[in-house]
C-alpha cells in the first residue's frame, strides 16, 4: 500500500470508454493506431469550438475547474485586441505522488491530447504550442508523438511545437510557473500575478489547460455535443479520469462517467468496505468521512456538495487500522517541503502548520488545536501561487473530518492506532530536485539560547517560550540548505549541526522527543 505508484498503473473503465478507447488493444496508441481507433478530426473555427466546450460544460481537469469556453474566448479577445498571435500550452505536469491520470494519458494516448491542443491552436491562429512535462516517460512519449506528426520547433514552421521539461515539484505544475519556465526562467511562480489569457508565454495571450482537458475537447469534437452529453450527468456530462491509491489492493487509473457512486469506484480498486476516510482531489483536496463517502457521487458538484473535491482527480481511502491525523501529518510535512521557498506565508507558514498538527498529536491540547487553526487561516491568499491555499484547505479538512480522533488526541492520550503510511509520499523527484535528506539538530548540552539560528532559518527553527530553539522535523528543503549551513556556522555556542537524516525523506507521523524542559512547549512555539 505504501509503495509509490508507477508512471502507468493499471487502467480500468466503467461503462464505454472515451478517453481510454483502444487501451485494450495496445499499450500506446501511435498516430496510425490513434486514427484507426478515433478517426480523423476536422478543424473548427474559434466560436463553434467555444460553443462546443460550453455545451458539454467542459471545465479544466487540473484542479481549478475553470470553464474552458470562457478561457478560450478570453484568449481570442485578447489576441484580437492586442494584435498578437496567441500561444497554446498543455500542462502535463502531474507532480503529486498520488496522481497519475494525466501521466497515463500522455504515455498511452498522446495524440488525443495533441488533437485537442492543435484544434484550439488552429481555431485561435496560434503558431506556438508548448507541452509541459516533468517525467522521463511523459517527455519521451510526447516527443515521439510530435515526431510522428512531423511537428517540431523549427523556425519558419506554420506551427512551432516543443516539449518543456521541468523538475518534479508541486509548484512547477502551477500555470504561472509553467509559463515562466517556457520563457526560459526558473520553474517557479513569479511574484507578480497576471492572467495567462492576457500575458502568458512571450507576453502573448496564452490558452493553458491540462492534458485531460484537451483530450476531452478532442473526443467531443469528434462525436459531437449531443452524443457526448449522453454519458454522465446532464449538468456535468462525459467521463472523468481518477487515480485510486492509498488503502486499495489494486492502485489504478479509472475512466468513469459522472454520477457513478464513489463507493462503486472504491470497491473496484479493492478499498475497505467502509473506509475510515477518503481523501478526494489529491493533497490539495478534502477528506470525506467513511459514511459521507459511501453516499457521494463522482462529479465536481456532487463531491463539493458533501464537502469533498474533484480537484486533481485523486481518490485515496484509508482503513480503520491507521491514525488519520498521523497520515495527514505525513502529507503536511511533504507539502511544507514542496514550497518554492519564495513567500513567507508558504515557506514559514506550512512548516509551522505541520508542527502545529504534530503538537496536537502529542497532546498539546485545545491550545495547540487553536494555534493550528490560526496558522492555516493566516497562510491563505498570501502566496504567489495556490500551494499555501491548497495546503491550508487540506489541513482544515483534516480537522473537520476526523472529529472523534481529534478529540482523542486533544482531550485524551490519542487514538492508540499506529500510522501505517498508506498514502503514497515517496520522493519521486530526481536527486537535484529532491528534498535534501538532511536535518538540523541541536546539541542541548551546548545550546545557550542565543536565538541567532531562528533569525537565519526561521522556516526550520523557532524559539519557544523558554528562549531555546525547537527544530522542525521536516527534512531541510533544498531551498533552505544554504541558510541552514549559515546558521550552523554562525552559532556562537557551536550547538547546531546538520546531519544526514537516517529516516526516509518523508518524516514519520510523530516528531522525535526533545529533552526535558524544552519539549512540548517548544514544539508549539511556531504558532506565535
Amino acid at each position: 500500500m505504501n509503495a509509490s505508484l508507477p508512471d502507468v498503473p493499471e487502467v480500468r473503465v466503467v461503462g464505454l470508454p472515451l478517453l481510454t478507447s483502444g487501451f485494450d488493444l495496445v499499450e500506446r496508441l501511435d498516430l496510425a493506431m490513434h486514427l484507426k481507433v478515433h478517426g480523423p478530426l476536422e478543424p473548427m473555427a474559434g466560436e463553434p469550438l467555444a460553443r462546443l466546450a460550453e455545451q458539454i460544460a467542459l471545465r479544466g481537469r487540473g484542479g481549478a475547474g475553470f470553464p474552458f469556453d470562457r478561457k478560450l474566448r478570453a484568449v481570442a479577445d485578447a489576441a484580437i485586441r492586442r494584435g498578437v498571435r496567441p500561444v497554446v500550452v498543455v500542462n502535463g505536469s502531474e507532480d503529486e505522488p498520488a496522481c497519475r491520470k494525466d501521466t497515463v494519458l500522455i504515455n498511452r494516448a498522446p495524440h488525443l491530447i495533441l488533437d485537442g491542443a492543435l484544434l484550439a491552436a488552429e481555431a485561435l491562429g496560434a503558431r506556438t504550442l508548448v507541452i509541459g512535462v516533468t517525467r522521463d516517460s511523459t517527455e519521451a512519449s510526447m516527443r515521439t508523438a510530435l515526431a510522428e506528426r512531423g511537428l517540431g520547433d523549427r523556425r519558419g514552421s506554420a506551427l512551432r511545437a516543443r516539449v518543456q521539461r521541468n523538475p518534479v515539484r508541486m509548484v512547477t505544475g502551477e500555470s504561472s510557473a509553467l509559463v515562466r519556465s517556457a520563457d526560459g526562467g526558473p520553474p517557479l511562480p513569479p511574484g507578480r500575478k497576471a492572467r495567462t489569457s492576457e500575458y502568458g508565454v512571450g507576453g502573448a495571450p496564452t490558452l493553458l489547460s491540462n492534458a485531460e482537458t484537451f483530450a476531452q475537447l478532442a473526443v467531443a469534437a469528434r462525436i459531437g455535443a449531443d452524443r457526448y452529453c449522453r454519458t454522465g450527468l446532464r449538468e456535468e456530462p462525459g467521463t472523468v479520469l481518477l487515480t485510486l491509491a492509498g488503502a486499495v489492493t489494486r492502485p489504478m487509473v479509472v475512466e468513469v462517467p459522472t454520477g457513478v457512486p464513489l463507493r462503486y469506484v472504491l470497491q473496484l480498486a479493492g478499498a475497505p468496505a467502509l473506509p475510515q476516510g477518503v481523501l478526494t482531489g489529491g493533497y490539495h483536496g478534502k477528506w470525506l468521512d467513511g459514511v459521507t463517502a459511501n453516499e457521494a457521487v463522482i462529479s465536481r458538484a456532487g463531491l463539493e456538495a458533501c464537502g469533498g473535491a474533484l480537484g486533481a482527480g485523486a481518490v485515496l481511502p484509508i482503513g480503520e487500522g491507521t491514525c488519520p491525523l498521523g497520515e495527514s501529518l505525513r502529507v503536511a510535512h511533504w507539502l511544507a517541503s514542496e514550497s518554492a521557498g519564495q513567500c513567507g506565508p508558504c515557506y514559514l507558514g506550512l512548516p509551522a502548520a505541520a508542527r502545529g498538527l504534530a503538537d496536537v498529536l502529542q497532546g498539546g491540547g485545545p491550545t495547540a488545536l487553536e494555534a493550528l487553526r490560526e496558522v492555516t487561516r493566516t497562510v491563505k491568499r498570501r502566496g504567489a501561487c495556490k500551494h499555501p491555499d491548497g495546503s491550508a484547505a487540506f489541513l482544515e479538512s483534516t480537522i473537520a473530518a476526523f472529529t472523534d480522533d481529534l478529540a482523542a488526541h486533544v482531550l485524551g492520550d490519542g487514538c492508540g492506532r499506529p500510522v501505517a503510511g498508506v498514502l503514497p509520499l515517496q520522493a519521486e523527484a530526481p536527486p537535484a530536485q529532491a528534498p535534501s535528506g538532511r536535518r538540523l539538530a541541536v546539541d542541548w548540552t551546548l545550546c545557550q539560547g542565543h536565538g541567532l539560528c531562528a533569525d537565519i532559518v526561521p522556516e526550520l527553527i523557532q524559539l519557544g517560550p523558554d528562549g531555546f530553539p525547537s527544530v522542525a522535523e521536516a527534512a531541510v528543503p533544498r531551498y533552505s540548505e544554504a541558510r541552514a549551513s549559515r546558521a550552523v556556522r554562525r552559532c556562537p555556542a557551536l550547538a547546531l549541526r546538520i546531519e544526514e537524516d537516517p529516516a526516509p525523506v518523508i518524516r514519520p507521523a510523530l516528531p522525535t522527543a526533545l529533552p526535558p524542559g524544552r519539549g512540548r512547549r517548544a514544539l508549539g512555539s511556531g504558532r506565535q
Side-chain angles (χ1 to χ4, degrees):
M1 291 182 183
N2 193 27
S4 60
L5 293 173
D7 280 8
V8 184
E10 177 186 0
V11 179
R12 298 288 299 275
V13 60
V14 176
L16 295 176
L18 295 178
L19 300 175
T20 59
S21 293
F23 281 23
D24 58 332
L25 302 175
V26 292
E27 285 299 310
R28 179 184 181 276
L29 280 74
D30 61 14
L31 183 57
M33 181 59 74
H34 168 74
L35 292 174
K36 287 181 181 179
V37 171
H38 292 284
L41 179 62
E42 296 296 325
M44 297 178 68
E47 184 53 32
L49 187 62
R51 283 200 302 270
L52 172 66
E54 186 176 12
Q55 289 168 352
I56 66 172
L58 180 60
R59 290 176 173 265
R61 301 298 176 89
F66 193 81
F68 188 83
D69 63 290
R70 289 170 54 187
K71 189 181 294 187
L72 186 66
R73 290 188 173 105
V75 172
D77 291 345
I80 294 171
R81 184 176 66 254
R82 295 176 53 198
V84 297
R85 288 191 178 271
V87 176
V88 174
V89 176
V90 177
N91 191 348
S93 308
E94 194 171 42
D95 304 319
E96 290 189 39
C99 295
R100 289 295 185 275
K101 68 180 183 69
D102 289 336
T103 302
V104 163
L105 270 182
I106 296 173
N107 275 281
R108 299 198 62 180
H111 289 285
L112 197 60
I113 300 165
L114 287 178
D115 277 348
L118 293 172
L119 196 66
E122 186 162 355
L124 291 169
R127 291 186 176 176
T128 302
L129 170 63
V130 180
I131 303 102
V133 297
T134 54
R135 301 177 187 276
D136 291 339
S137 64
T138 50
E139 180 182 14
S141 180
M142 194 53 75
R143 287 191 186 279
T144 301
L146 291 177
E148 289 170 346
R149 289 180 180 248
L151 295 174
D153 195 19
R154 297 180 296 273
R155 290 186 178 182
S157 302
L159 178 74
R160 298 181 65 174
R162 59 188 172 90
V163 175
Q164 175 67 37
R165 174 67 184 268
N166 287 328
V168 181
R169 289 290 308 280
M170 186 78 163
V171 295
T172 59
E174 204 271 338
S175 60
S176 64
L178 181 52
V179 167
R180 193 179 183 188
S181 68
D183 282 336
L188 300 172
R192 178 176 174 271
K193 294 183 179 180
R195 292 182 179 178
T196 56
S197 59
E198 290 282 345
Y199 297 95
V201 176
T206 298
L207 177 68
L208 189 152
S209 202
N210 92 308
E212 185 191 343
T213 312
F214 284 110
Q216 294 280 5
L217 183 68
V219 168
R222 276 189 169 88
I223 67 177
D226 289 343
R227 182 178 166 191
Y228 185 95
C229 291
R230 292 174 193 166
T231 300
L233 299 170
R234 177 181 299 178
E235 302 80 9
E236 294 183 43
T239 64
V240 296
L241 285 178
L242 303 173
T243 309
L244 281 90
V248 298
T249 58
R250 300 174 65 184
M252 65 176 62
V253 168
V254 58
E255 182 181 11
V256 56
T258 56
V260 169
L262 176 60
R263 64 177 178 273
Y264 179 80
V265 179
L266 293 172
Q267 291 170 3
L268 189 67
L274 185 62
Q276 181 178 191
V278 179
L279 180 58
T280 58
Y283 295 150
H284 279 177
K286 297 180 180 179
W287 284 103
L288 298 178
D289 62 68
V291 174
T292 304
N294 193 54
E295 300 170 353
V297 297
I298 301 296
S299 73
R300 184 176 301 277
L303 288 171
E304 289 177 356
C306 60
L310 180 60
V315 178
L316 302 153
I318 59 172
E320 290 289 345
T322 187
C323 172
L325 299 181
E327 293 288 347
S328 296
L329 178 59
R330 296 175 63 247
V331 177
H333 281 311
W334 182 81
L335 290 169
S337 71
E338 286 296 295
S339 169
Q342 298 183 127
C343 309
C346 187
Y347 85 87
L348 294 176
L350 296 187
R355 287 191 300 273
L357 183 55
D359 201 13
V360 170
L361 283 170
Q362 284 200 319
T367 302
L369 178 59
E370 183 54 37
L372 173 59
R373 287 178 171 147
E374 178 62 24
V375 73
T376 54
R377 283 194 295 265
T378 57
V379 302
K380 291 188 292 187
R381 295 179 295 278
R382 296 173 63 197
C385 69
K386 296 297 184 181
H387 182 55
D389 295 16
S391 303
F394 165 79
L395 286 166
E396 289 174 337
S397 172
T398 300
I399 295 172
F402 302 109
T403 53
D404 290 346
D405 292 88
L406 190 65
H409 284 280
V410 172
L411 304 176
D413 296 327
C415 66
R417 285 171 290 183
V419 178
V422 298
L423 301 180
L425 282 177
Q426 278 76 8
E428 301 182 26
Q433 287 81 36
S436 65
R438 307 168 76 195
R439 64 179 177 183
L440 281 172
V442 176
D443 184 337
W444 298 104
T445 65
L446 298 176
C447 181
Q448 298 175 11
H450 292 94
L452 187 60
C453 55
D455 291 333
I456 297 174
V457 60
E459 66 268 34
L460 297 177
I461 298 178
Q462 293 76 40
L463 298 182
D466 57 2
F468 285 86
S470 63
V471 181
E473 282 301 306
V476 176
R478 291 290 185 192
Y479 63 77
S480 293
E481 279 193 295
R483 288 194 295 270
S485 297
R486 187 161 64 251
V488 171
R489 292 194 303 269
R490 296 185 63 183
C491 177
L494 302 179
L496 192 66
R497 65 179 181 272
I498 293 180
E499 58 186 29
E500 295 300 318
D501 192 345
V505 171
I506 302 303
R507 305 301 300 156
L510 295 179
T512 54
L514 295 178
R518 298 172 189 169
R520 184 168 297 166
R521 287 182 176 273
L523 280 170
S525 62
R527 58 178 176 258
Q528 295 178 349

